[in-house]
Amino acid sequence: MTSSPLIELAGITHRYGATVALDGCQLDIRPGEIHGLVGENGSGKSTVVKLLSGIMAPTEGTVRVDGKDVDLRSPTAAQAHGVLTVFQETLISDDCSGLDNVFAGTDGLFRRRRRSKAELELATEVVERLGTSPSILTASPYQLSLAERQVLTLTRALVRPWRLLILDEATSALDLATRDRLFALLQAERSNGRSVLFVSHRMDELEILIDRATVQRSGHTVGTVDRAEATPSRLLSMMDGRSESEHAGAATVTARRRDEQGTAARLCGVALSSDARPFDLDVRRGEILGVGGLDGHGAVALVEAFAGVSLPPKGKVEIDRDGLWSRVRGYRNAVASGIAYVPGKRQEEGLFRTLDVRDNLAMATYGEHSRLGVLRPHAIQQAVRAQMQRLGVVPDDPDYPITGLSGGNAQKVLVGRWLAAEPDLLVLNDPLRGVDIGTKREFYALMRELTDAGMTVVMLSTEIEELLTSCDRVAVCHDHGLEAVLEGDEMTYDGVLSAMFGQAPTLATHERTRA
Amino acid sequence: MTTVDRAPIRGGRAVPYFVPAALAVLVMIAITAQKSSQFLDGGWKLVLVYASPLVLLAMAQAPVVLSGGGGLDLSVGPGAGLVSVILAAGLIAHQISVAWIVIPAAVLLGVVIGAVNGSLVALIRIPPIIATLATYLVFAGIATQVLASPTGALPVWMDWFTDVEGVVPNVVWVMLLVGGLWWLLTRTAFWRNLLMVGSNDRAAYTAGVPVTAVRFVAYVLTGAMTGVAGLVLTAVLGGADATVGPTYTMLAIAAVALGGISLAGGRGGLLGAACGAALLFLIQNYLTLTEASSFVLQMAYGLVLVVAIVINGAWDRKRKNP
Ligand SMILES: Nc1ncnc2c1ncn2[C@@H]1O[C@H](COP(=O)(O)OP(=O)(O)OP(=O)(O)O)[C@@H](O)[C@H]1O
Ligand SMILES: [Mg+2]
């Protein structure tokens, strides 16, 4: 017999009102293993995570820790068993310092458990281990990037005594360098007998990290496989029930456009920070321009410049409007010029939490669905239904509250809103974060369809694979400058990677192995 | 160790939230001094005494607003009125009038009031605006029931509260005591818990902060300060009047907004609330000096409130995008 599992879910059923999110879920995690949890969007992964973290109790079934039945009634109870969770949504209080966010909940109601100095030391150690500047602990969270916020939530878990660390797509917002450091940390802790439950849609991450994986399909547990069996095609076929051969080699590279159709938008003499080198960048009409770069190196600033969200300190952004160059002077002006922007922080900047799926989706196209300023509910309903079908939003119910959608499905709604507006220039900040592979492929196809019809796309992605498979060219930022624009044969994994690290491939490999 | 190079460190210290309100108070003091020569010459002491119930009630309002989730206590006015009525008609009228009973009784009554509101909001989870509207009506009703017409005849020691002989009027010590105790509280874990809950309760809950307990305690603190305000109100009025309390509620909430406290929770403190209340009272005082009609006063309140919200909003935006 193998060692008894650290934690075990047996015969779990969970319902949200009428929605059955889990039905007969089975999961066991051994001490000292990294356990993958995979499944399509809405298959119940986050629900499992919430049950294990004490956010809610299962409708039916038992949770065992060290072989004993337990009642994880609250996050505090789960933490007392050593279960620490980094949730899919980066949960940060913006009005408190990073340090307060990290240690909140470790004290009593009135009594502080640690002095601030001890807290700062402990947190600094973890943050540095993740290769991030400790300044995120003292800065106001408003000023932090999504990746830095995610580092805070990781630190929040890692400073506490943990036995099982649950990462619910916690890597999707991290840049490559931080992610590799996190993986190194997890692997080191594994040999200390600590376990990790790792939820991710990224097959490459699963392949390097996990010991075993459990697959979920629409609320059911399909099964658990060992590392050797957990090949991407095997996992994918378990996830969607199709045969393995259908998935082998399915990662086709989309045909790149060669035909020149002129320039749709351009950056002239733009500097992404006040002391950075200025550069020019043209976006060709009908292309998908990928934008990559490590966090804090200006990639976000670059896409935000195109979208008019934050104007660069130097230089100008221009968009072609019927043959005339019109300068982008701000967000409103950008929208009026036919630019649409999908922000990265979906909870804070993207979704309307009190509205249902319909309104979140139709928001940007109300204009088209109204007559004399009065909305036509029937037309909206029809358009929304069609849109949801196209995007594969589960459940396909326009009246569903947006907060009831799984992370990936919420992301589909956010991107879908702006796709429906059919802008001239669509600017996307990591649009497919947390979206499952099948849907991603459909998105790529959809984007291609729209660009063939004349739309232009600028898309930031934290995933190099994504930049390579879905984009025509890739612009890579380093140190707030434009390091390289790769095209055709230059678009290789190593090419993008070395550009991210400032053209020095040796440094890149050095960082990766040393981490 | 070498780390991957990062973006430069951002952001200096944020400018404190209460600065606009404090500046406005200074401006109002200057204007008042222009108008009335006696103001700087001791007149301010009396103004402060009359302002003290409002200042204390604005401070009382702060913890629940900070606790977020729509946190608000509409019942502070009638609550203070009820405390005042019970002290006057329940204790003092029955010759139970020594300070060491009356003062703790006031605070304790306030705590009970806060606990009632806290139970409704934090435990039963009735939206704060509804729950405290209900208790507003109930407290006001009980107060009129207990005391149909105003009474007077207070023990001599209560004159201490309205005494203006010293360098500063004695009510200042009361405010400082409340503020000092609050400051001590901000040194404990409760302060961090309160701001976390107020700013993002989901983040707080998942991190392990006892959200329900924090919100409950916030209401109890509000109640305790309401009790103190009730005591001071009794002294300032020279007796109890069931109809006075309710008039304070709207002004206390306006004061909190004026003081730069985010009505969404998570940001602000007692000092801002006190400044906001002082500002409102100074405006009222000035308009009385110029013999403006009470309609003008109402309009002035409204106008100041709108301007303040706009300024605080701009302040906030600057803080988020320096
Ligand atoms: N609060 C809620 N209210 C109602 N339904 C919910 C709620 N949370 C989740 N659901 C539903 O439960 C199902 C499972 O959701 P869950 O979040 O567990 O999916 P997931 O596997 O984590 O997906 P993703 O990969 O997109 O994050 C979905 O159909 C979702 O719509
Ligand atoms: Mg999820």
Side-chain angles (χ1 to χ4, degrees):
Chain A
M1 223 189 99
T2 49
S3 61
S4 81
L6 170 67
I7 202 160
E8 195 181 352
L9 291 178
I12 296 277
T13 298
H14 191 82
R15 279 186 283 273
Y16 296 98
T19 314
V20 183
L22 289 177
D23 183 9
C25 168
Q26 217 69 32
L27 175 70
D28 69 281
I29 302 164
R30 299 175 189 150
E33 82 165 343
I34 299 180
H35 195 112
L37 180 61
V38 296
E40 294 185 330
N41 292 135
S43 58
K45 303 180 298 297
S46 294
T47 306
V48 168
V49 168
K50 286 178 196 157
L51 296 177
L52 287 173
S53 329
I55 301 294
M56 49 197 194
T59 318
E60 275 165 47
T62 46
V63 183
R64 289 191 203 102
V65 175
D66 299 322
K68 283 192 277 295
D69 287 13
V70 292
D71 178 12
L72 302 176
R73 189 166 343 96
S74 67
T76 322
Q79 289 186 23
H81 285 286
V83 179
L84 266 302
T85 308
V86 177
F87 293 92
Q88 188 168 10
E89 309 305 341
T90 37
L91 292 165
I92 293 287
S93 284
D94 283 309
D95 294 309
C96 301
S97 73
L99 190 68
D100 283 341
N101 269 289
V102 167
F103 284 95
T106 57
D107 337 84
L109 188 54
F110 294 101
R111 206 168 63 85
R112 289 197 67 154
R113 200 128 301 162
R114 279 192 196 84
R115 305 188 139 273
S116 305
K117 226 179 119 229
E119 286 186 346
L120 189 62
E121 273 167 25
L122 186 54
T124 302
E125 193 191 314
V126 174
V127 169
E128 276 180 348
R129 219 172 145 190
L130 294 172
T132 306
S133 154
S135 67
I136 63 168
L137 295 170
T138 44
S140 158
Y142 283 114
Q143 301 160 13
L144 299 183
S145 71
L146 191 60
E148 288 167 324
R149 294 159 80 86
Q150 191 68 270
V151 169
L152 280 183
T153 59
L154 283 164
T155 310
R156 166 150 74 211
L158 291 169
V159 294
R160 300 168 198 221
W162 58 276
R163 299 172 65 204
L164 171 66
L165 179 67
I166 304 178
L167 300 179
D168 192 355
E169 289 175 44
T171 50
S172 66
L174 295 181
D175 73 24
L176 220 84
T178 316
R179 196 194 68 178
D180 286 347
R181 281 167 182 273
L182 174 67
F183 286 180
L185 186 151
L186 297 181
Q187 272 154 348
E189 294 293 350
R190 172 171 55 180
S191 46
N192 296 338
R194 289 169 154 182
S195 315
V196 178
L197 181 63
F198 185 73
V199 182
S200 176
H201 289 293
R202 297 190 180 175
M203 288 298 152
D204 53 334
E205 295 183 345
L206 290 159
E207 252 184 317
I208 48 175
L209 202 62
I210 58 159
D211 299 310
R212 291 193 305 155
T214 296
V215 182
Q216 285 282 122
R217 190 197 310 154
S218 39
H220 302 277
T221 303
V222 183
T224 300
V225 290
D226 283 327
R227 184 188 180 92
E229 297 168 73
T231 58
S233 55
R234 175 79 200 277
L235 291 178
L236 287 172
S237 76
M238 286 173 81
M239 277 160 64
D240 65 6
R242 281 188 254 171
S243 76
E244 233 173 287
S245 53
E246 276 182 76
H247 288 290
T252 48
V253 179
T254 41
R256 308 204 192 289
R257 306 181 60 83
R258 254 152 268 98
D259 45 332
E260 291 287 333
Q261 293 182 335
T263 309
R266 64 184 184 192
L267 302 180
C268 307
V270 159
L272 296 175
S273 73
S274 43
D275 50 358
R277 237 171 326 126
F279 59 85
D280 297 335
L281 178 63
D282 289 357
V283 190
R284 300 170 192 159
R285 186 174 314 285
E287 81 166 337
I288 303 177
L289 175 70
V291 178
L294 296 177
D295 186 55
H297 280 258
V300 174
L302 182 71
V303 292
E304 286 189 346
F306 273 116
V309 175
S310 61
L311 295 176
K314 268 188 231 142
K316 56 184 179 181
V317 186
E318 290 181 321
I319 180 164
D320 178 63
R321 297 189 75 184
D322 311 319
L324 290 175
W325 286 109
S326 117
R327 187 160 174 190
V328 176
R329 289 170 206 281
Y331 184 60
R332 265 169 194 286
N333 167 253
V335 172
S337 313
I339 301 176
Y341 178 58
V342 177
K345 299 178 188 169
R346 75 168 158 253
Q347 289 302 322
E348 296 86 351
E349 298 173 355
L351 294 173
F352 297 87
R353 292 183 55 85
T354 51
L355 300 181
D356 55 16
V357 173
R358 179 195 359 260
D359 287 326
N360 266 288
L361 203 50
M363 188 80 46
T365 44
Y366 276 159
E368 291 162 32
H369 298 305
S370 60
R371 191 179 286 143
L372 299 174
V374 180
L375 291 177
R376 291 157 45 208
H378 191 69
I380 293 180
Q381 182 79 358
Q382 250 171 355
V384 164
R385 276 203 180 283
Q387 187 79 349
M388 287 176 73
Q389 212 132 50
R390 198 166 181 192
L391 302 165
V393 177
V394 184
D396 64 347
D397 172 9
D399 291 320
Y400 218 67
I402 195 79
T403 47
L405 287 193
S406 75
N409 282 300
Q411 191 68 30
K412 293 180 198 171
V413 169
L414 182 56
V415 179
R417 178 197 300 161
W418 292 107
L419 278 182
E422 298 188 357
D424 295 333
L425 176 63
L426 179 63
V427 183
L428 305 159
N429 183 348
D430 212 3
L432 302 184
R433 191 160 58 84
V435 172
D436 66 39
I437 292 181
T439 314
K440 268 186 186 169
R441 288 193 188 133
E442 282 164 36
F443 256 118
Y444 300 153
L446 185 62
M447 272 198 316
R448 192 50 76 185
E449 219 175 275
L450 291 167
T451 50
D452 283 344
M455 189 171 86
T456 309
V457 177
V458 174
M459 176 174 95
L460 181 149
S461 174
T462 49
E463 242 179 305
I464 295 181
E465 292 296 347
E466 181 164 282
L467 293 171
L468 296 178
T469 52
S470 66
C471 300
D472 300 315
R473 293 189 301 154
V474 181
V476 183
C477 295
H478 176 74
D479 210 8
H480 289 88
L482 183 63
E483 186 68 32
V485 181
L486 305 170
E487 165 168 32
D489 294 340
E490 305 157 349
M491 277 175 60
T492 59
Y493 191 92
D494 288 334
V496 176
L497 189 67
S498 39
M500 281 182 171
F501 284 92
Q503 210 91 67
T506 43
L507 172 67
T509 32
H510 169 72
E511 283 290 339
R512 276 162 71 75
T513 45
R514 203 177 56 88
Chain B
M1 67 187 277
T2 57
T3 50
V4 185
D5 50 334
R6 295 278 152 174
I9 296 165
R10 288 134 303 186
R13 285 233 147 262
V15 184
Y17 72 97
F18 56 81
V19 168
L23 289 178
V25 168
L26 291 181
V27 169
M28 232 14 247
I29 287 176
I31 294 178
T32 312
Q34 284 279 311
K35 185 83 196 164
S36 143
S37 52
Q38 297 149 11
F39 183 72
L40 289 182
D41 209 38
W44 62 277
K45 292 186 184 173
L46 221 52
V47 172
L48 201 52
V49 169
Y50 287 120
S52 59
L54 177 60
V55 172
L56 284 165
L57 282 180
M59 288 159 84
Q61 190 68 246
V64 289
V65 173
L66 284 172
S67 78
L72 194 68
D73 190 349
L74 292 176
S75 77
V76 286
L82 181 60
V83 170
S84 166
V85 163
I86 294 179
L87 292 183
L91 295 177
I92 296 167
H94 294 89
Q95 270 69 48
I96 311 170
S97 58
V98 281
W100 62 268
I101 294 187
V102 173
I103 294 174
V107 177
L108 199 69
L109 282 168
V111 166
V112 171
I113 284 175
V116 170
N117 283 324
S119 308
L120 295 177
V121 170
L123 304 179
I124 310 180
R125 297 187 191 215
I126 302 174
I129 196 164
I130 306 292
T132 60
L133 180 60
T135 51
Y136 174 107
L137 297 170
V138 171
F139 296 157
I142 299 177
T144 12
Q145 188 72 34
V146 172
L147 188 72
S149 58
T151 66
L154 297 181
V156 192
W157 63 266
M158 283 188 88
D159 294 343
W160 181 86
F161 288 107
T162 49
D163 189 350
V164 292
E165 293 305 302
V167 186
V168 294
N170 288 337
V171 278
V172 170
W173 302 119
V174 179
M175 292 177 204
L176 285 180
L177 179 69
V178 172
L181 289 174
W182 176 261
W183 181 81
L184 284 180
L185 193 71
T186 63
R187 319 301 297 167
T188 71
F190 181 75
W191 181 235
R192 169 154 85 191
N193 288 337
L194 183 67
L195 293 190
M196 279 291 292
V197 168
S199 167
N200 185 342
D201 51 5
R202 292 192 310 139
Y205 179 70
T206 54
V209 177
V211 175
T212 306
V214 168
R215 289 223 163 106
F216 181 80
V217 171
Y219 273 92
V220 170
L221 290 170
T222 289
M225 286 190 255
T226 304
V228 175
L231 178 70
V232 172
L233 181 67
T234 316
V236 171
L237 290 179
D241 181 344
T243 61
V244 172
T247 58
Y248 279 105
T249 288
M250 284 305 156
L251 288 179
I253 291 170
V256 163
L258 277 181
I261 298 178
S262 160
L263 291 179
R267 192 170 46 80
L270 248 51
L271 188 56
C275 288
L279 184 59
L280 283 179
F281 203 86
L282 281 168
I283 292 171
Q284 184 194 14
N285 182 58
Y286 179 78
L287 292 175
T288 319
L289 279 177
T290 58
E291 288 165 12
S293 84
S294 63
F295 301 120
V296 176
L297 178 63
Q298 301 280 331
M299 287 189 287
Y301 280 163
L303 212 63
V304 167
L305 198 57
V306 170
V307 171
I309 300 290
V310 170
I311 291 176
N312 283 330
W315 206 258
D316 227 26
R317 218 175 0 261
K318 225 182 114 226
R319 189 174 60 97
K320 289 179 194 173
N321 307 303

